[in-house]
Amino acid sequence: MQNNRPLGVTIIAILAILGGIGSLVGGIALVAIIPILGAVLIIIGLAYFGVAYGLWKGLKWAWIITLIVTVIAFISGLGSIIVGNVGAVIPVIINGIIIYYLFQPNVKAYFGK
């Protein structure tokens, strides 16, 4: 594992933290109205924080989870485009860039791959 965290990994980790905050806030707001959905969002928010920590520290499992979630989002976005949602083009492009970025030699080296 290399010691210097690549800038893109830092950005992805910060975005994961923001996603975690959004999920927690949404979950807490929904607990009183739809308890199960609120609880799920809270769990997702905590998972975001866990992945952000793993990305920040260069842990191998965080690279794998980020890749899996990003590939799922990419495929989902493609499906959305196929059924006519052209607004999904931007998320597909972003997820494609993240997938490409995760396979860059310096990024893989940071995660000990």
Side-chain angles (χ1 to χ4, degrees):
M1 179 172 77
Q2 79 184 41
N3 293 330
N4 296 329
R5 182 180 334 99
L7 176 62
V9 173
T10 301
I11 292 169
I12 295 168
I14 291 169
L15 291 173
I17 291 168
L18 293 174
I21 291 169
S23 292
L24 279 178
V25 169
I28 291 167
L30 277 176
V31 165
I33 303 167
I34 310 170
I36 190 72
L37 182 56
V40 168
L41 282 175
I42 290 170
I43 292 167
I44 290 170
L46 295 173
Y48 266 118
F49 290 132
V51 170
Y53 173 81
L55 289 168
W56 198 265
K57 294 293 186 176
L59 303 175
K60 288 181 186 180
W61 59 263
W63 184 91
I64 293 166
I65 290 173
T66 302
L67 180 63
I68 290 168
V69 169
T70 306
V71 167
I72 291 169
F74 181 83
I75 292 169
S76 173
L78 287 178
S80 189
I81 291 169
I82 289 169
V83 298
N85 179 9
V86 293
V89 169
I90 299 299
V92 166
I93 291 170
I94 292 169
N95 286 307
I97 290 168
I98 292 171
I99 292 165
Y100 173 79
Y101 178 75
L102 288 173
F103 282 97
Q104 296 310 296
N106 66 319
V107 174
K108 287 177 72 175
Y110 176 69
F111 290 100
K113 298 187 148 297

